[in-house]
Amino acid sequence: MPATVIVGAQWGDEGKGKIVDLLAQGSDVVCRYQGGPNAGHTIVRDGETFALHHVPSGILYPGKVCVIGAGCVVDPALLVRELDGLESRGIATDGLRVSGNAHLIMPWHVAIDSASERRLGKLQIGTTRRGIGPAYADKAARLGIRVQDILDPKILRQKFETALAEKNALLDEPLEPGDLADRMEECAVRLRPYVADTSLLVDRALREGKQVLLEGAQGTLLDLDHGTYPFVTSSNPTAGAAATGVGIGPTRIERVLGVAKAYVTRVGEGPFPTEIEGPDQDRVRELGHEYGTTTGRERRCGWLDLVGLRFAARVNGMTLLALTKLDVLSAFDELPVCVRYRLPDGSETDEFPAHQSDFHHARPVYETLPGWREPLDDVLEVDGLPDAARRYIEFVEEALDVPVCMIGTGAERERVVTAPGQPAYSRS
Ligand code: IMP
């Protein structure tokens, strides 16, 4: 059975958690392939809210195998806290498997992340300060500490000594390798049973005909290679990275489901052509509860950007799109949708600018679509949507040449309508 990738099509926070949660019902294995605790998925289930940072949301279903793949970075203390939190609410965590090749986020990575943001001042990236960039930097420099190192206390101790000989010079408060090893041993004992060869596990599952879901964190425009560098994260959320991040071949992936909000949000710094000016931005934020799951920061809000979305369709090879939070737009009489960018030389383009200066200075060219001005609370199927809402969706499909397969109409799990004729994801 081929694998399905779920990828954020904007700057993250598109509502992937809810879509993954829905699709996880019909899946056997749910994997994270990149990122770390910079991600935050909020899932509302039976009135209970779960905010997950490390663990794939499939954990909420008994019997699912959940994988943290080799392409992820793991903060061991945070992962332990998350597991304890789930167990205290009666959720079994024995289905979790963590790749031994994933890298660990260490206290010095967190300290360096914050210190470099402070140093950058006005030029800061606006990171989540979870140590993501410094951990991936050490991985690339081949200085990283991996999950498999926790299997052997002696190796872990040696690695701390080597790393701290260099890192302590960068820290305001130097760390003592022995102390850290003692503290880490508690986490190590707790996490050891979860460490596994997850590439082999996923390959076997696929050979046995099982459904595998590969869940991206962040979004396309935060991709280290294809996003709005340097205002990006330090991994590759785009779909191509799903294969590497989990350790399977790209030929095993059949479907790439992009997830986009019916508008756009961005946290952190960086250019954002469709950012709304004036009170409508606050209205979208309040109605959409646009505050970060991980940091609580206010999200910047903008109108739907089809130039960015077409780019996401291209670089991910998107085969389907889920459009979330359509209900938030019910409050507006008119809905501007960005169809082209106007560049500094006066020309217009519907392709995402390849050069940073063009993107930084791009101005949105809007087409204004009529709003529907009715709540979507009782909508159970696409045919039940107001005409103007259906037109909005069709406008997106035509611009992207990608079918919209699911539409989010509210925060709760059941508030998603599936377009007729789209692949059935759930076997139930
Ligand atoms: P980092 O991933 O913490 O290094 O942050 C780099 C950039 O990615 C910053 O602009 C963050 O706000 C953004 N970012 C990281 N994770 C997320 C996410 O899950 N949602 C939205 N933005 C994110």
Side-chain angles (χ1 to χ4, degrees):
M1 192 64 85
T4 299
V5 180
I6 300 196
V7 61
Q10 295 158 327
W11 274 290
D13 309 317
E14 298 91 350
K16 295 179 292 292
K18 185 174 165 183
I19 303 296
V20 172
D21 183 44
L22 271 173
L23 270 51
Q25 293 172 62
S27 304
D28 302 287
V29 184
V30 185
C31 314
R32 283 273 312 267
Y33 58 85
Q34 46 72 229
N38 47 349
H41 285 173
T42 308
I43 295 146
V44 184
R45 170 143 0 144
D46 303 329
E48 251 197 292
T49 303
F50 294 87
L52 301 175
H53 298 283
H54 267 311
V55 179
S57 41
I59 205 77
L60 302 179
Y61 296 99
K64 308 286 176 199
V65 175
C66 290
V67 168
I68 297 178
C72 297
V73 283
V74 177
D75 184 321
L78 287 183
L79 178 56
V80 166
R81 207 180 310 154
E82 201 162 311
L83 292 170
D84 288 347
L86 284 165
E87 286 176 2
S88 71
R89 292 163 86 180
I91 311 280
T93 63
D94 51 354
L96 180 70
R97 297 288 176 272
V98 186
S99 169
N101 288 358
H103 278 246
L104 291 176
I105 301 173
M106 289 286 111
W108 60 84
H109 293 134
V110 180
I112 291 169
D113 195 359
S114 291
S116 60
E117 284 285 88
R118 277 196 303 274
R119 206 175 39 248
L120 282 167
K122 270 202 196 149
L123 297 175
Q124 66 177 276
I125 309 293
T127 74
T128 59
R129 302 192 177 202
R130 295 292 189 274
I132 307 295
Y136 277 115
D138 276 355
K139 169 180 170 174
R142 290 157 297 187
L143 297 169
I145 299 183
R146 295 191 294 173
V147 166
Q148 59 183 276
D149 295 327
I150 66 171
L151 296 176
D152 185 329
K154 244 168 73 197
I155 292 182
L156 197 58
R157 216 163 266 265
Q158 276 167 6
K159 294 220 164 181
F160 284 159
E161 274 165 21
T162 313
L164 285 173
E166 183 198 311
K167 302 293 177 191
N168 267 342
L170 306 171
L171 303 179
D172 292 339
E173 290 172 36
L175 294 157
E176 209 283 302
D179 278 356
L180 188 61
D182 291 342
R183 270 195 282 145
M184 211 40 77
E185 184 53 18
E186 259 178 61
C187 286
V189 168
R190 177 83 167 89
L191 295 179
R192 273 178 201 138
Y194 298 100
V195 181
D197 181 347
T198 52
S199 159
L200 183 63
L201 180 158
V202 175
D203 181 69
R204 283 191 176 145
L206 288 165
R207 283 175 197 278
E208 286 164 16
K210 297 199 166 144
Q211 294 269 7
V212 174
L213 210 57
L214 309 174
E215 162 188 0
Q218 291 85 45
T220 301
L221 297 174
L222 289 172
D223 187 278
L224 181 60
D225 291 296
H226 302 290
T228 50
Y229 192 89
F231 303 102
V232 294
T233 192
S234 296
S235 65
N236 294 106
T238 46
T244 325
V246 167
I248 56 169
T251 48
R252 312 300 286 277
I253 296 168
E254 186 185 67
R255 282 188 294 239
V256 177
L257 170 58
V259 184
K261 272 179 196 156
Y263 48 97
V264 188
T265 60
R266 171 163 211 179
V267 264
E269 307 306 318
F272 183 0
T274 64
E275 186 164 17
I276 303 170
E277 285 168 19
D280 278 350
Q281 160 138 211
D282 301 330
R283 250 172 113 203
V284 172
R285 183 178 305 113
E286 289 313 312
L287 290 166
H289 308 290
E290 296 297 354
Y291 299 90
T293 317
T294 302
T295 59
R297 284 182 291 178
E298 278 190 355
R299 295 178 184 147
R300 299 156 67 193
C301 299
W303 300 119
L304 188 63
D305 181 351
L306 291 179
V307 181
L309 260 193
R310 286 180 67 236
F311 173 72
R314 164 158 61 93
V315 294
N316 291 298
M318 206 187 281
T319 58
L320 291 164
L321 180 71
L323 204 59
T324 60
K325 297 188 132 179
L326 191 66
D327 53 302
V328 171
L329 299 185
S330 294
F332 298 91
D333 291 330
E334 293 188 323
L335 301 168
V337 174
C338 172
V339 290
R340 287 185 302 282
Y341 290 158
R342 185 165 303 122
L343 301 180
D345 67 1
S347 64
E348 291 189 2
T349 179
D350 58 5
E351 293 297 351
F352 198 78
H355 197 283
Q356 58 189 355
S357 300
D358 283 338
F359 184 63
H360 279 247
H361 296 107
R363 292 283 161 263
V365 178
Y366 288 115
E367 241 174 76
T368 302
L369 304 188
W372 43 92
R373 276 298 200 173
E374 3 171 345
L376 305 179
D377 297 348
D378 301 323
V379 177
L380 301 174
E381 51 188 34
V382 173
D383 282 347
L385 286 168
D387 286 349
R390 280 217 305 276
R391 270 206 300 283
Y392 192 84
I393 294 162
E394 282 159 13
F395 194 80
V396 174
E397 286 181 318
E398 278 164 26
L400 268 54
D401 198 20
V402 174
V404 171
C405 62
M406 282 185 262
I407 299 135
T409 56
E412 295 79 17
R413 195 167 146 229
E414 57 280 5
R415 301 276 299 277
V416 172
V417 294
T418 304
Q422 294 304 337
Y425 283 102
S426 170
R427 279 192 251 136
S428 52

Short mmCIF file of all heavy atoms in Angstrom, two decimals, residues 275-308:
data_model
loop_
_atom_site.label_atom_id
_atom_site.label_comp_id
_atom_site.label_asym_id
_atom_site.label_seq_id
_atom_site.Cartn_x
_atom_site.Cartn_y
_atom_site.Cartn_z
N GLU A 275 -0.55 40.27 3.95
CA GLU A 275 -0.87 40.62 5.34
C GLU A 275 -1.92 41.75 5.34
O GLU A 275 -1.78 42.73 4.62
CB GLU A 275 0.40 41.07 6.07
CG GLU A 275 0.19 41.32 7.54
CD GLU A 275 1.51 41.38 8.31
OE1 GLU A 275 2.58 41.55 7.69
OE2 GLU A 275 1.46 41.27 9.56
N ILE A 276 -2.95 41.57 6.14
CA ILE A 276 -4.07 42.52 6.11
C ILE A 276 -3.70 43.77 6.91
O ILE A 276 -3.13 43.66 8.00
CB ILE A 276 -5.34 41.88 6.72
CG1 ILE A 276 -5.71 40.60 5.96
CG2 ILE A 276 -6.51 42.86 6.72
CD1 ILE A 276 -6.79 39.76 6.63
N GLU A 277 -4.04 44.91 6.34
CA GLU A 277 -3.80 46.15 7.07
C GLU A 277 -5.10 46.57 7.74
O GLU A 277 -6.16 46.46 7.13
CB GLU A 277 -3.34 47.24 6.10
CG GLU A 277 -1.90 47.03 5.67
CD GLU A 277 -1.51 47.92 4.50
OE1 GLU A 277 -2.21 48.91 4.24
OE2 GLU A 277 -0.50 47.57 3.85
N GLY A 278 -4.98 47.06 8.97
CA GLY A 278 -6.18 47.58 9.63
C GLY A 278 -6.91 46.54 10.45
O GLY A 278 -6.43 45.43 10.66
N PRO A 279 -8.11 46.93 10.91
CA PRO A 279 -8.83 46.13 11.91
C PRO A 279 -9.25 44.74 11.42
O PRO A 279 -9.49 43.85 12.24
CB PRO A 279 -10.07 46.97 12.24
CG PRO A 279 -10.12 48.06 11.25
CD PRO A 279 -8.80 48.20 10.60
N ASP A 280 -9.36 44.54 10.09
CA ASP A 280 -9.75 43.20 9.62
C ASP A 280 -8.73 42.14 10.02
O ASP A 280 -9.07 40.97 10.20
CB ASP A 280 -9.92 43.19 8.10
CG ASP A 280 -11.30 43.72 7.68
OD1 ASP A 280 -12.14 43.91 8.58
OD2 ASP A 280 -11.51 43.94 6.48
N GLN A 281 -7.47 42.54 10.16
CA GLN A 281 -6.44 41.58 10.60
C GLN A 281 -6.78 41.07 12.00
O GLN A 281 -6.72 39.87 12.28
CB GLN A 281 -5.05 42.23 10.58
CG GLN A 281 -4.06 41.51 11.43
CD GLN A 281 -2.66 41.35 10.83
OE1 GLN A 281 -2.02 40.37 11.13
NE2 GLN A 281 -2.20 42.27 10.03
N ASP A 282 -7.17 41.99 12.89
CA ASP A 282 -7.52 41.59 14.26
C ASP A 282 -8.78 40.74 14.27
O ASP A 282 -8.91 39.81 15.05
CB ASP A 282 -7.75 42.83 15.15
CG ASP A 282 -6.49 43.70 15.19
OD1 ASP A 282 -5.40 43.13 15.07
OD2 ASP A 282 -6.64 44.93 15.30
N ARG A 283 -9.69 41.06 13.36
CA ARG A 283 -10.93 40.27 13.29
C ARG A 283 -10.64 38.84 12.88
O ARG A 283 -11.17 37.90 13.47
CB ARG A 283 -11.87 40.91 12.25
CG ARG A 283 -13.05 41.54 12.93
CD ARG A 283 -13.85 42.29 11.94
NE ARG A 283 -15.14 41.68 11.73
CZ ARG A 283 -15.87 41.86 10.65
NH1 ARG A 283 -15.41 42.57 9.65
NH2 ARG A 283 -17.05 41.30 10.55
N VAL A 284 -9.81 38.68 11.87
CA VAL A 284 -9.45 37.32 11.44
C VAL A 284 -8.76 36.60 12.59
O VAL A 284 -9.06 35.45 12.90
CB VAL A 284 -8.54 37.35 10.18
CG1 VAL A 284 -8.01 35.96 9.87
CG2 VAL A 284 -9.29 37.91 8.99
N ARG A 285 -7.84 37.31 13.28
CA ARG A 285 -7.09 36.66 14.38
C ARG A 285 -8.03 36.20 15.48
O ARG A 285 -7.91 35.08 15.99
CB ARG A 285 -6.05 37.64 14.94
CG ARG A 285 -5.19 36.99 16.03
CD ARG A 285 -4.12 37.94 16.56
NE ARG A 285 -3.30 38.45 15.51
CZ ARG A 285 -3.26 39.73 15.11
NH1 ARG A 285 -4.01 40.64 15.73
NH2 ARG A 285 -2.48 40.11 14.14
N GLU A 286 -8.97 37.08 15.84
CA GLU A 286 -9.89 36.70 16.93
C GLU A 286 -10.80 35.55 16.51
O GLU A 286 -10.96 34.58 17.23
CB GLU A 286 -10.74 37.91 17.36
CG GLU A 286 -9.97 38.98 18.10
CD GLU A 286 -9.06 38.44 19.20
OE1 GLU A 286 -9.52 37.61 20.00
OE2 GLU A 286 -7.87 38.82 19.24
N LEU A 287 -11.37 35.68 15.31
CA LEU A 287 -12.32 34.64 14.86
C LEU A 287 -11.62 33.31 14.64
O LEU A 287 -12.18 32.25 14.89
CB LEU A 287 -13.00 35.09 13.56
CG LEU A 287 -13.97 36.24 13.71
CD1 LEU A 287 -14.33 36.83 12.34
CD2 LEU A 287 -15.24 35.78 14.43
N GLY A 288 -10.38 33.37 14.16
CA GLY A 288 -9.65 32.13 13.87
C GLY A 288 -8.81 31.66 15.05
O GLY A 288 -8.11 30.66 14.92
N HIS A 289 -8.87 32.38 16.18
CA HIS A 289 -8.03 32.06 17.36
C HIS A 289 -6.58 31.88 16.93
O HIS A 289 -5.95 30.84 17.17
CB HIS A 289 -8.53 30.79 18.07
CG HIS A 289 -9.99 30.86 18.39
ND1 HIS A 289 -10.49 31.70 19.35
CD2 HIS A 289 -11.05 30.24 17.84
CE1 HIS A 289 -11.81 31.59 19.37
NE2 HIS A 289 -12.17 30.71 18.47
N GLU A 290 -6.07 32.88 16.27
CA GLU A 290 -4.74 32.76 15.66
C GLU A 290 -3.63 33.18 16.62
O GLU A 290 -3.04 34.25 16.51
CB GLU A 290 -4.70 33.57 14.34
CG GLU A 290 -5.64 33.04 13.28
CD GLU A 290 -5.32 31.61 12.81
OE1 GLU A 290 -4.29 31.06 13.22
OE2 GLU A 290 -6.12 31.05 12.04
N TYR A 291 -3.39 32.30 17.57
CA TYR A 291 -2.31 32.47 18.54
C TYR A 291 -1.53 31.15 18.55
O TYR A 291 -2.13 30.07 18.48
CB TYR A 291 -2.86 32.77 19.93
CG TYR A 291 -3.65 34.06 19.95
CD1 TYR A 291 -5.01 34.05 19.70
CD2 TYR A 291 -3.02 35.27 20.17
CE1 TYR A 291 -5.75 35.23 19.66
CE2 TYR A 291 -3.74 36.46 20.14
CZ TYR A 291 -5.11 36.43 19.88
OH TYR A 291 -5.81 37.61 19.84
N GLY A 292 -0.19 31.24 18.61
CA GLY A 292 0.65 30.04 18.44
C GLY A 292 0.39 28.97 19.50
O GLY A 292 0.26 29.28 20.68
N THR A 293 0.35 27.70 19.06
CA THR A 293 0.20 26.58 19.99
C THR A 293 1.46 26.40 20.82
O THR A 293 1.42 26.03 21.99
CB THR A 293 -0.01 25.26 19.20
OG1 THR A 293 -0.90 25.49 18.14
CG2 THR A 293 -0.52 24.15 20.06
N THR A 294 2.60 26.68 20.20
CA THR A 294 3.87 26.44 20.88
C THR A 294 4.31 27.63 21.71
O THR A 294 4.77 27.50 22.83
CB THR A 294 4.95 26.08 19.83
OG1 THR A 294 4.50 24.93 19.13
CG2 THR A 294 6.29 25.78 20.49
N THR A 295 4.14 28.84 21.15
CA THR A 295 4.69 30.02 21.83
C THR A 295 3.61 30.98 22.33
O THR A 295 3.93 31.92 23.05
CB THR A 295 5.60 30.80 20.86
OG1 THR A 295 4.77 31.16 19.73
CG2 THR A 295 6.76 29.97 20.36
N GLY A 296 2.37 30.79 21.92
CA GLY A 296 1.30 31.71 22.31
C GLY A 296 1.35 33.04 21.58
O GLY A 296 0.55 33.94 21.84
N ARG A 297 2.31 33.19 20.64
CA ARG A 297 2.44 34.47 19.96
C ARG A 297 1.25 34.74 19.05
O ARG A 297 0.67 33.81 18.49
CB ARG A 297 3.69 34.46 19.05
CG ARG A 297 4.98 34.61 19.80
CD ARG A 297 6.16 34.65 18.85
NE ARG A 297 6.39 33.36 18.20
CZ ARG A 297 7.35 33.15 17.29
NH1 ARG A 297 8.13 34.15 16.93
NH2 ARG A 297 7.51 31.97 16.76
N GLU A 298 0.95 36.05 18.86
CA GLU A 298 -0.09 36.43 17.89
C GLU A 298 0.38 36.05 16.51
O GLU A 298 1.53 36.31 16.15
CB GLU A 298 -0.25 37.97 17.89
CG GLU A 298 -1.10 38.49 18.98
CD GLU A 298 -1.41 39.99 18.78
OE1 GLU A 298 -0.88 40.61 17.84
OE2 GLU A 298 -2.18 40.51 19.59
N ARG A 299 -0.50 35.45 15.72
CA ARG A 299 -0.13 35.17 14.33
C ARG A 299 -0.51 36.36 13.47
O ARG A 299 -1.57 36.98 13.68
CB ARG A 299 -0.85 33.92 13.83
CG ARG A 299 -0.40 32.68 14.56
CD ARG A 299 -1.15 31.44 14.09
NE ARG A 299 -0.75 30.28 14.86
CZ ARG A 299 -1.56 29.27 15.18
NH1 ARG A 299 -2.81 29.27 14.78
NH2 ARG A 299 -1.11 28.26 15.87
N ARG A 300 0.33 36.67 12.51
CA ARG A 300 0.00 37.70 11.52
C ARG A 300 -1.02 37.08 10.54
O ARG A 300 -0.88 35.91 10.18
CB ARG A 300 1.26 38.13 10.78
CG ARG A 300 2.31 38.74 11.72
CD ARG A 300 3.72 38.63 11.15
NE ARG A 300 3.93 39.43 9.98
CZ ARG A 300 4.99 39.31 9.17
NH1 ARG A 300 5.92 38.39 9.42
NH2 ARG A 300 5.13 40.08 8.13
N CYS A 301 -2.02 37.86 10.14
CA CYS A 301 -3.09 37.29 9.31
C CYS A 301 -3.20 38.01 7.97
O CYS A 301 -3.04 39.23 7.90
CB CYS A 301 -4.44 37.41 10.03
SG CYS A 301 -4.46 36.54 11.60
N GLY A 302 -3.47 37.24 6.93
CA GLY A 302 -3.58 37.82 5.59
C GLY A 302 -4.66 37.14 4.77
O GLY A 302 -5.17 36.08 5.14
N TRP A 303 -4.96 37.76 3.64
CA TRP A 303 -5.93 37.15 2.71
C TRP A 303 -5.27 36.02 1.94
O TRP A 303 -4.04 35.95 1.84
CB TRP A 303 -6.46 38.21 1.73
CG TRP A 303 -7.16 39.37 2.39
CD1 TRP A 303 -6.80 40.68 2.33
CD2 TRP A 303 -8.35 39.31 3.20
NE1 TRP A 303 -7.67 41.45 3.06
CE2 TRP A 303 -8.64 40.64 3.61
CE3 TRP A 303 -9.20 38.29 3.64
CZ2 TRP A 303 -9.73 40.97 4.41
CZ3 TRP A 303 -10.28 38.60 4.44
CH2 TRP A 303 -10.54 39.93 4.81
N LEU A 304 -6.10 35.16 1.39
CA LEU A 304 -5.59 33.98 0.67
C LEU A 304 -4.65 34.40 -0.46
O LEU A 304 -4.96 35.30 -1.24
CB LEU A 304 -6.76 33.16 0.12
CG LEU A 304 -6.36 31.81 -0.47
CD1 LEU A 304 -5.76 30.90 0.60
CD2 LEU A 304 -7.56 31.13 -1.11
N ASP A 305 -3.52 33.73 -0.55
CA ASP A 305 -2.50 34.06 -1.54
C ASP A 305 -2.35 32.89 -2.52
O ASP A 305 -1.72 31.88 -2.20
CB ASP A 305 -1.18 34.34 -0.81
CG ASP A 305 -0.07 34.71 -1.77
OD1 ASP A 305 -0.27 34.59 -3.00
OD2 ASP A 305 1.01 35.12 -1.28
N LEU A 306 -2.94 33.04 -3.71
CA LEU A 306 -2.91 31.93 -4.66
C LEU A 306 -1.56 31.81 -5.37
O LEU A 306 -1.25 30.75 -5.90
CB LEU A 306 -4.04 32.09 -5.69
CG LEU A 306 -5.44 31.90 -5.11
CD1 LEU A 306 -6.49 32.09 -6.20
CD2 LEU A 306 -5.60 30.52 -4.48
N VAL A 307 -0.76 32.88 -5.35
CA VAL A 307 0.59 32.77 -5.93
C VAL A 307 1.41 31.81 -5.05
O VAL A 307 2.05 30.88 -5.54
CB VAL A 307 1.27 34.15 -6.03
CG1 VAL A 307 2.66 34.02 -6.64
CG2 VAL A 307 0.41 35.11 -6.83
N GLY A 308 1.35 32.05 -3.74
CA GLY A 308 2.06 31.17 -2.80
C GLY A 308 1.52 29.74 -2.86
O GLY A 308 2.28 28.77 -2.81
#
